[in-house]
Amino acid sequence: MANATITTGATGAPTRPKYGSMSRDRRWALRWSYFFLVLFAIFFLMPPIYMLITSLKTSAEISAATNPWWISNPTLQNYIDLLSQNQFLVFFRNSAIVSICVVILTMTISVIAAFALARMKFWGSATLATGVFLTYLIPETLLFIPLFKMFAWVNEVFGVQLMNHWWTMIILYPTLTVPFATWIMIGYFASIPKELDEAALIDGATWMQTLTKIFIPVALPGIIAATIFTFTVAWAQFLYPLAFTTSTSELVLPVGIVTTLIKGDVFNWGQIMTGALLGAAPPLIIYAFLMDYYIAGLTAGATKG
Amino acid sequence: MAQVTLRKVVKKYDEVLAVRGIDLDITDKEFIVLVGPSGCGKSTTLRMIAGLEEISGGDIAIGGDVVNDVPPKDRDIAMVFQNYALYPHMNVYENMSFGLKLKKTPKDEIDRRVKQAAQILDITELLDRKPKQLSGGQRQRVAMGRAIVRDPKVFLFDEPLSNLDAKLRVQMRTEIKKVHQKVRTTTVYVTHDQVEAMTLADRVVVMNGGLIEQVGSPNDLYHSPATKFVAGFIGSPAMNFIPCQLEQAAGALRVRLNDKLSFPVPADRTTRYTAHVGKANLLLGLRPEHITETRPHSEPNQHDFDMTIDVVEPMGMETLVYFTINGVEICGRVNPNAGAAAAKSMKLRADLSNMHLIDDSTGKVL
């Protein structure tokens, strides 16, 4: 019976239908994957490698017309100079305190906000959730002039000078990080089955207990993903500190490197590259440790938990 | 005492009426099953009893107290969900003790209750496993365990077996019945599966379109359905509905199916049916087991007729035969050895003592 549908050739033997073989398809897909992955890896790794090479050269060798990819006289002088300068350590400290405070502030606000928006159905919650995302779409370049005005107003009315203080960044950065972190967490909380909070509700948990005892532990990968994102944004933020801080002691790392190592039209390339590499290290280390969680967080909800 | 009372309970979603004013009295220790097709309002009713949905009108009372505005945790109920809703980051012991911990129950008391419930459900050796290390049936037991340890006034089950495979479902069905016999807690159980409803319930509530069609013991619903919907919903294969006419000839009533086929109405129903002689839209309701192969001895009200069989479905212990009267497909249950064969004529026997006469325009069983 089953043979009836197979067409037979002249010899009577069944002919093999001309479909692509699955293993051959896979082999080709893999070749293309490797090709593009290697291409992208080279493309994206080129700048940091160039930075590393440049950071190991003397200023004389950098300005000499030699092969830029080759180091004739490797030296650690740039690292020694930079790390023995007090101001570089101040930038580093400012950046670290700002970033850690921003992460704590952002995660506290956005986890609670996301829980309310995702779970406690109240009038206007859907509109508010969209509103949160819309605020993320406003570029910071549009915001810093109104912020100047607001700072001036605060100084006038309350007599508090917000300009030129590194701690002002702790209030400023969350305007960028809270909307996005909230948005990630709304998505993550929404993927937790509704029955879970209903079960907690019946078990006698309050909303706050449902959040702390059920949602936060279950959504931990999402929280870690949002934390990494927030840290990266806070650590790498450039525009706000550039606009709002001027004194050397108040600068954060990205602005500090650029403003102190470029004197007029003299670029101290070796130290700039060294500073940039050292500055990129903390996010890199955090990613390396939390990578598994980060990926789990980004793909959560794809399968039934 | 934990009776549950529903009085004119209404649930409105925007302008859609999900539950249209139902009255129901559930007595203490009773096992009630709400059954009906999807969208009939059974789950909504259960969730209103749980306090997970606000009620739009009417009153719900648990143990004599109206609980309309009481939050779920203060209603002293426990609920088992369709997808179990176990806390994934807690082990079985923590899952079961979570509610008691929140209530600040002493540690040794929690321990005693969890171990006792685990023993009832035979999950003692699973207590330190995480939910993802458990099979579907084991998760179901843990979900029940979480309900039992709370020792609530009322158990609420929301389609708890529909995620399990067929074999496990039958096994867990028995398990639930056993547990109820042990703990004797008032139980409200929602399912769309009429077999589950029949096997578990003290009383079954058949719902349709946001209203209660009929409340009764499984046998009541099966043998004396009040409406066409209940008659068709309870029982598998479903009851046959054959368009018919009621005629009076020589002082006796007959149901006439077509020119060739008519049966005398059983004598004890004559008075009840006389008023409907000549009415349009009448249906003869006859369950498949009341259409059998012919047998040597006949009881009163059993009548033989010849029919050409369209389809034969052997089930092992019986064989289902399908044939057509008035364009309607009719199902009968015959002995596997009766020699039923497709496209062949067969002598069948209708047992009219179990007939139902239905007015199709009102949907009522007459």
Side-chain angles (χ1 to χ4, degrees):
Chain A
M1 283 297 281
N3 290 338
T5 52
I6 297 176
T7 48
T8 49
T11 56
T15 52
R16 184 183 281 271
K18 288 223 184 309
Y19 301 123
S21 127
M22 256 166 67
S23 64
R24 194 169 49 207
D25 276 359
R26 187 180 144 74
R27 226 167 24 239
W28 271 106
L30 277 181
R31 271 179 212 168
W32 281 110
S33 310
Y34 276 119
F35 174 73
F36 281 108
L37 285 173
V38 168
L39 203 70
F40 281 124
I42 292 172
F43 185 75
F44 286 112
L45 285 178
M46 201 99 90
I49 290 170
Y50 194 82
M51 283 161 69
L52 179 68
I53 291 171
T54 313
S55 73
L56 297 171
K57 291 180 179 178
T58 60
S59 292
E61 192 183 339
I62 291 168
S63 49
T66 54
N67 179 359
W69 294 97
W70 190 253
I71 314 166
S72 326
N73 303 303
T75 169
L76 284 175
Q77 198 54 48
N78 288 324
Y79 289 84
I80 294 163
D81 286 351
L82 208 61
L83 290 174
S84 58
Q85 274 174 28
N86 199 25
Q87 60 178 15
F88 182 81
L89 298 177
V90 168
F91 302 156
F92 206 94
R93 189 207 64 187
N94 288 350
S95 265
I97 298 176
V98 166
S99 298
I100 289 167
C101 290
V102 166
V103 164
I104 293 169
L105 198 64
T106 303
M107 292 320 293
T108 311
I109 296 172
S110 63
V111 164
I112 296 172
F115 181 68
L117 290 171
R119 275 305 201 261
M120 305 171 73
K121 295 273 167 255
F122 53 89
W123 189 85
S125 57
T127 321
L128 270 174
T130 317
V132 165
F133 190 60
L134 285 180
T135 54
Y136 175 68
L137 296 180
I138 301 171
E140 56 206 275
T141 39
L142 283 183
L143 287 180
F144 78 90
I145 293 171
L147 282 171
F148 260 117
K149 284 278 201 190
M150 284 168 69
F151 284 5
W153 180 81
V154 168
N155 194 15
E156 225 170 76
V157 176
F158 301 104
V160 180
Q161 179 56 274
L162 293 170
M163 290 295 293
N164 200 16
H165 289 299
W166 60 264
W167 46 261
T168 306
M169 302 305 130
I170 298 173
I171 318 164
L172 275 183
Y173 291 0
T175 59
L176 306 170
T177 53
V178 167
F180 193 74
T182 307
W183 192 253
I184 292 182
M185 291 319 298
I186 289 177
Y188 207 89
F189 284 158
S191 74
I192 296 175
K194 187 96 190 75
E195 285 82 0
L196 220 55
D197 34 320
E198 289 178 348
L201 210 62
I202 288 177
D203 265 343
T206 60
W207 284 107
M208 206 59 200
Q209 282 169 325
T210 308
L211 174 64
T212 54
K213 290 189 195 300
I214 309 291
F215 270 65
I216 290 179
V218 173
L220 202 60
I223 290 174
I224 289 173
T227 304
I228 294 178
F229 166 81
T230 306
F231 183 83
T232 312
V233 168
W235 187 264
Q237 180 53 226
F238 187 76
L239 189 68
Y240 283 170
L242 185 70
F244 296 113
T245 50
T246 43
S247 313
T248 318
S249 64
E250 303 297 328
L251 296 180
V252 293
L253 198 59
V255 179
I257 292 169
V258 171
T259 51
T260 56
L261 298 179
I262 302 174
K263 297 190 174 79
D265 56 353
V266 180
F267 286 73
N268 192 346
W269 281 119
Q271 286 194 8
I272 292 176
M273 293 300 145
T274 310
L277 267 186
L278 290 177
L284 209 66
I285 292 165
I286 291 178
Y287 269 96
F289 276 108
L290 299 177
M291 195 59 166
D292 290 343
Y293 280 109
Y294 188 63
I295 288 172
L298 289 179
T299 56
T303 53
K304 194 169 171 251
Chain B
M1 285 296 281
Q3 67 276 42
V4 178
T5 316
L6 277 66
R7 286 280 167 269
K8 307 227 171 333
V9 171
V10 176
K11 179 66 193 182
K12 237 190 214 176
Y13 290 109
D14 296 325
E15 284 314 297
V16 184
L17 274 170
V19 175
R20 302 160 179 266
I22 58 171
D23 289 293
L24 184 61
D25 287 289
I26 302 167
T27 56
D28 189 33
K29 299 189 175 64
E30 193 176 20
F31 199 121
I32 281 273
V33 176
L34 305 180
V35 68
S38 51
C40 71
K42 56 189 191 299
S43 275
T44 310
T45 306
L46 187 80
R47 292 170 59 82
M48 286 192 291
I49 298 173
L52 296 172
E53 302 278 353
E54 277 178 34
I55 61 175
S56 315
D59 286 316
I60 294 179
I62 298 175
D65 307 317
V66 174
V67 293
N68 293 4
D69 301 312
V70 176
K73 66 182 171 94
D74 299 327
R75 292 191 183 196
D76 203 1
I77 44 140
M79 188 156 169
V80 177
F81 294 88
Q82 181 177 356
N83 63 1
Y84 324 129
L86 300 178
Y87 310 123
H89 58 295
M90 297 182 190
N91 66 26
V92 171
Y93 186 97
E94 289 163 337
N95 260 287
M96 286 167 69
S97 59
F98 184 66
L100 295 176
K101 256 188 217 158
L102 290 177
K103 271 202 236 164
K104 307 228 180 332
T105 314
K107 261 220 168 77
D108 45 339
E109 169 75 7
I110 293 179
D111 198 59
R112 193 184 59 77
R113 286 215 221 167
V114 170
K115 293 217 164 117
Q116 192 188 357
Q119 208 175 3
I120 291 176
L121 292 162
D122 200 15
I123 50 172
T124 310
E125 69 282 9
L126 304 177
L127 282 176
D128 42 358
R129 294 222 199 142
K130 288 272 173 72
K132 67 173 175 213
Q133 296 166 300
L134 303 176
S135 68
Q138 290 170 331
R139 288 181 201 187
Q140 187 57 60
R141 280 166 207 265
V142 176
M144 273 162 62
R146 189 168 63 180
I148 292 172
V149 291
R150 308 243 331 266
D151 191 19
K153 281 188 194 154
V154 186
F155 278 143
L156 304 173
F157 288 89
D158 191 3
E159 307 218 14
L161 302 184
S162 39
N163 273 6
L164 301 176
D165 64 58
K167 201 174 165 194
L168 205 51
R169 201 177 306 164
V170 175
Q171 209 181 319
M172 285 307 294
R173 201 170 72 198
T174 322
E175 204 72 21
I176 290 177
K177 191 147 194 173
K178 270 190 208 155
V179 168
H180 181 251
Q181 281 161 1
K182 273 184 208 159
V183 299
R184 303 302 293 173
T185 305
T186 312
T187 302
V188 186
Y189 185 108
V190 162
T191 179
H192 61 266
D193 181 351
Q194 50 99 11
V195 180
E196 250 171 57
M198 297 287 283
T199 49
L200 285 171
D202 293 327
R203 281 193 303 156
V204 179
V205 179
V206 182
M207 292 187 70
N208 185 31
L211 286 170
I212 292 179
E213 289 268 340
Q214 192 175 358
V215 184
S217 72
N219 280 332
D220 277 350
L221 294 189
Y222 193 81
H223 295 294
S224 2
T227 63
K228 184 190 174 193
F229 179 83
V230 176
F233 192 80
I234 303 287
S236 172
M239 186 188 282
N240 297 301
F241 298 115
I242 316 160
C244 69
Q245 273 158 352
L246 203 60
E247 45 179 46
Q248 197 152 27
L253 284 184
R254 289 185 81 84
V255 247
R256 177 162 293 283
L257 305 182
N258 55 28
D259 294 344
K260 285 178 231 151
L261 210 52
S262 73
F263 300 114
V265 168
D268 55 329
R269 309 209 181 193
T270 319
T271 12
R272 207 162 100 206
Y273 288 168
T274 309
H276 306 292
V277 170
K279 239 189 197 173
N281 292 325
L282 288 184
L283 294 175
L284 167 67
L286 205 55
R287 291 203 182 274
E289 60 265 41
H290 301 132
I291 302 174
T292 57
E293 76 283 358
T294 182
R295 288 165 193 167
H297 304 287
S298 86
E299 303 278 322
N301 301 322
Q302 295 186 335
H303 306 283
D304 291 351
F305 60 102
D306 286 302
M307 202 44 73
T308 309
I309 307 298
D310 297 331
V311 179
V312 176
E313 287 181 352
M315 306 285 286
M317 62 172 286
E318 64 185 13
T319 294
L320 301 181
V321 292
Y322 293 89
F323 52 92
T324 316
I325 301 178
N326 298 352
V328 179
E329 186 171 77
I330 311 295
C331 177
R333 296 165 91 149
V334 303
N335 189 299
N337 302 319
K344 284 237 178 93
S345 181
M346 186 177 181
K347 206 168 206 37
L348 295 170
R349 171 170 293 183
D351 184 355
L352 273 281
S353 50
N354 290 298
M355 69 167 278
H356 301 281
L357 195 64
I358 297 156
D359 185 344
D360 201 18
S361 47
T362 60
K364 291 263 185 299
V365 174
L366 301 170

